[in-house]
């Protein structure tokens, strides 16, 4: 998993590390929604908050920037499309294309919003263990009718376990086929089938063995719950988040 | 459904969710645009697991992504990704997999109806994806479709063509548990 992405938990003991995961998740959801509505002032406040979180917890900003480079391409695309399609004063003329001033401003605002939301999500992953996130989600889902919260948290645990296995199997299958001259076959449908069928069959056989092993050990969804405790500091953080949301939506 | 079959289907649904997640990172290099396998696995979830368990697989995948696990294309996950410009495609997977599963179940897995089911699924994915992209980035419909749909259509035709024999080969493995 670690080679998959730099987005994983970094140990630490900062204020944000010690916060109750439920409050972190709720705060992230509130700030993301407020961020989508925010204007310049609200986004400025959000940016200060993000910078403060990254500074206090000493998170790897450079790693994050590298991780977000594909996202940045998409943002640039959105910005350019917006600047070209909005009518207004011409601010810049490039190779016959006219970028309007209003378009540049509005496109910039949209990109700023999306970037802030991505940074906040990354911040949460850096300071919260995935098991804590799982428990918090289970806690939030419990009162919702018709949703089996326990089974969902089991499934998320299984997804995390299966991911490296699948990537290894995919690499092995691709290498085996390259050694048999698969690259000479030009038909993409043929290649897709010859790649996907062994990958699926083998991973399903692995999953089957896992299910038998779990069944043999009397696996049950009724397990002892971890205890989540909220402290006054968590409530203080939540009220700060609500204030910021008010500012972001109000201005 | 007895408890051990239910456990087996839970494990299978988690596997399909993990394959969908891995599909964002596995690409088959054909021509200039590599074919990314993510939505192939979403369609296969519907065909192999049926409507109910397919929905569970995609739901678990989206939830894992919303929690910030690195399962979405490009790595950066989180709730922000669902609200971001490409979030509509991800949300669209949910109704799409349900419809694919439903059509395929009602028609006893006949190949011609499987193709129909997957076409419905693709229409739903793009309807959700493109309209959310348009709303988020405030582009015109033509521009949203030119960026968010047209470049992917040839790949999707190939994926649907490949999904039929793949589903045929893998179904016997799954169907033992579904009974």
């Amino acid at each position: 998993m670690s080679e998959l992405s730099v987005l994983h938990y970094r140990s630490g003991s900062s204020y944000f590390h010690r916060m109750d995961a439920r409050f972190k998740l709720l705060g992230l959801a509130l700030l993301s929604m407020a961020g989508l509505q925010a204007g310049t002032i609200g986004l400025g406040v959000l940016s200060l908050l993000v910078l403060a979180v990254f500074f206090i917890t000493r998170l790897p900003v450079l790693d994050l920037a590298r991780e977000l480079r594909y996202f940045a391409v998409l943002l640039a695309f959105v910005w350019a499309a917006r600047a070209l399609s909005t009518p207004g004063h011409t601010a810049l003329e490039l190779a016959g294309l006219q970028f309007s001033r209003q378009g540049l401003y509005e496109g910039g605002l949209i990109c700023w919003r999306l970037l802030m939301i991505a940074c906040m999500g990354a911040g949460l992953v850096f300071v919260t263990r995935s098991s804590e996130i799982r428990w918090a989600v289970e806690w939030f889902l419990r009162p919702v009718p018709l949703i089996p919260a326990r089974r969902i948290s089991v499934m998320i645990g299984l997804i995390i376990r299966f991911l490296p296995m699948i990537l290894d199997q995919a690499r092995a299958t691709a290498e085996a086929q390259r050694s048999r001259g698969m690259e000479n076959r030009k038909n993409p449908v043929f290649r897709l089938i010859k790649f996907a069928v062994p990958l699926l069959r083998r991973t399903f056989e692995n999953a089957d063995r896992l299910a038998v092993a779990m069944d043999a050990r009397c696996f049950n969804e009724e397990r002892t719950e971890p205890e989540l405790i909220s402290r006054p500091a968590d409530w203080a953080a939540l009220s700060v988040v609500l204030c910021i949301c008010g500012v972001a939506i109000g201005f | 459904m007895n408890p051990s079959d239910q456990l087996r289907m839970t494990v299978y649904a988690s596997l399909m969710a993990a394959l969908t997640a891995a599909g964002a990172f596995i690409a088959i290099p054909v021509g200039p645009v590599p074919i990314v396998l993510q939505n192939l696995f979403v369609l296969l979830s519907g065909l192999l697991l049926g409507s109910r368990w397919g929905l569970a697989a995609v739901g678990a995948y989206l939830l894992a992504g919303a929690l910030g696990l690195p399962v979405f294309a490009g790595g950066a996950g989180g709730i922000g990704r669902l609200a971001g410009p490409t979030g509509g495609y991800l949300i669209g997977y949910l109704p799409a997999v349900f419809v694919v599963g439903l059509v395929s179940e009602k028609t006893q897995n006949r190949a011609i109806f499987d193709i129909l089911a997957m076409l419905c699924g693709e229409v739903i994915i793009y309807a959700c994806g493109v309209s959310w992209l348009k709303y988020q980035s405030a582009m015109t419909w033509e521009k949203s479709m030119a960026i968010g749909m047209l470049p992917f259509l040839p790949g999707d035709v190939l994926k649907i063509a490949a999904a039929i024999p793949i589903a045929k080969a893998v179904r016997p493995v799954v169907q033992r548990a579904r009974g």
Side-chain angles (χ1 to χ4, degrees):
Chain A
M1 284 291 276
S2 58
E3 65 168 37
L4 209 88
S5 163
V6 296
L7 285 175
H8 56 83
Y9 175 69
R10 317 270 162 139
S11 61
S13 58
S14 72
Y15 174 75
F16 296 102
H17 281 88
R18 279 178 287 132
M19 259 177 88
D20 187 335
R22 289 173 296 177
F23 285 81
K24 283 192 262 195
L25 212 58
L26 186 63
L28 177 70
L30 288 174
L31 287 173
S32 301
M33 279 186 274
L36 282 178
Q37 310 288 328
T40 333
I41 298 173
L43 281 173
V45 175
L46 275 185
S47 310
L48 283 179
L49 178 78
V50 169
L51 285 177
V53 171
F54 279 66
F55 183 73
I56 290 171
T57 48
R58 292 202 211 96
L59 290 174
V61 180
L62 282 178
D63 285 356
L64 180 66
R66 205 168 46 220
E67 185 68 23
L68 289 177
R69 64 188 186 278
Y70 298 113
F71 193 60
V73 174
L74 183 75
L75 288 185
F77 227 65
V78 170
W79 194 351
R82 185 75 205 221
L84 283 171
S85 59
T86 311
H89 286 289
T90 307
L92 183 73
E93 204 166 331
L94 235 155
L97 297 171
Q98 293 185 336
F99 293 89
S100 72
R101 193 176 301 162
Q102 284 89 337
L104 283 175
Y105 170 73
E106 280 174 35
L109 208 59
I110 290 170
C111 292
W112 192 4
R113 279 179 196 151
L114 298 175
L115 185 67
M116 278 303 110
I117 291 171
C119 285
M120 287 191 291
L124 176 85
V125 182
F126 282 137
V127 299
T128 319
R129 282 194 181 86
S130 63
S131 58
E132 281 178 329
I133 299 180
R134 235 170 70 202
W135 298 331
V137 168
E138 203 179 313
W139 190 88
F140 279 119
L141 287 180
R142 220 175 293 153
V144 182
L146 295 175
I147 290 195
R150 287 241 173 78
R151 183 172 304 157
I152 287 173
S153 100
V154 169
M155 285 181 74
I156 287 175
L158 285 172
I159 291 174
I160 297 170
R161 186 196 171 282
F162 279 140
L163 254 179
M165 186 266 282
I166 292 168
L167 291 173
D168 285 347
Q169 187 67 60
R171 200 172 303 132
T173 309
E175 271 169 19
Q177 294 187 335
R178 201 170 304 135
S179 72
R180 287 162 178 79
M182 182 54 98
E183 250 127 54
N184 298 329
R185 304 292 294 247
K186 291 283 174 251
N187 182 353
V189 176
F190 177 83
R191 284 172 64 167
L192 212 56
I193 295 168
K194 288 293 171 215
F195 176 78
V197 170
L199 175 70
L200 280 168
R201 286 200 95 119
R202 282 180 196 156
T203 50
F204 264 101
E205 276 163 22
N206 269 334
D208 203 45
R209 274 199 287 278
L210 182 74
V212 169
M214 285 166 82
D215 204 20
R217 286 160 181 77
C218 303
F219 176 82
N220 197 309
E221 279 166 14
E222 300 298 318
R223 291 169 304 157
T224 314
E225 297 278 306
E227 208 169 333
L228 295 165
I229 301 163
S230 62
R231 295 170 302 135
D234 295 325
W235 290 101
L238 187 63
S239 32
V240 171
V241 164
L242 286 174
C243 290
I244 293 176
C245 288
V247 170
I249 294 172
F251 291 93
Chain B
M1 195 180 252
N2 70 42
S4 48
D5 281 347
Q6 196 153 4
L7 173 64
R8 178 155 301 165
M9 285 312 287
T10 308
V11 173
Y12 284 169
S14 312
L15 176 66
M16 283 314 295
L19 279 165
T20 310
F25 302 97
I26 307 171
I28 295 198
V30 182
V33 185
I35 298 179
V36 176
L37 298 183
Q38 185 161 40
N39 54 359
L40 172 70
F41 286 127
V42 171
L43 299 175
L44 279 174
S45 301
L47 291 185
L48 294 175
L49 302 173
S51 53
R52 212 174 131 247
W53 287 102
L55 199 63
V58 173
Y61 163 70
L62 291 182
L63 197 64
L67 301 185
L69 297 170
V71 297
F72 293 155
I79 296 175
R81 202 55 185 271
L82 288 177
T86 55
Y89 299 95
L90 297 169
I91 296 293
Y93 287 160
L94 274 177
V97 74
F98 186 77
V99 168
V100 172
L102 201 67
V103 174
S104 158
E105 276 167 348
K106 295 279 179 230
T107 54
Q108 269 88 41
N109 305 331
R110 298 251 305 278
I112 180 81
F113 291 111
D114 280 356
I115 293 176
L116 194 73
M118 284 189 285
L119 285 176
C120 294
E122 290 283 0
V123 169
I124 294 171
I125 292 173
Y126 282 114
C128 295
V130 173
S131 44
W132 182 248
L133 181 70
K134 182 195 177 295
Y135 169 73
Q136 272 283 310
S137 56
M139 290 183 281
T140 58
W141 278 110
E142 291 80 34
K143 219 166 243 161
S144 308
M145 283 204 231
I147 292 175
M149 188 168 98
L150 296 181
F152 309 111
L153 286 183
D156 286 336
V157 173
L158 299 182
K159 281 176 216 172
I160 290 180
I164 296 296
I166 294 170
K168 201 170 166 229
V170 185
R171 250 182 197 134
V173 185
V174 186
Q175 232 121 37
R176 264 178 309 176
R178 283 177 70 191

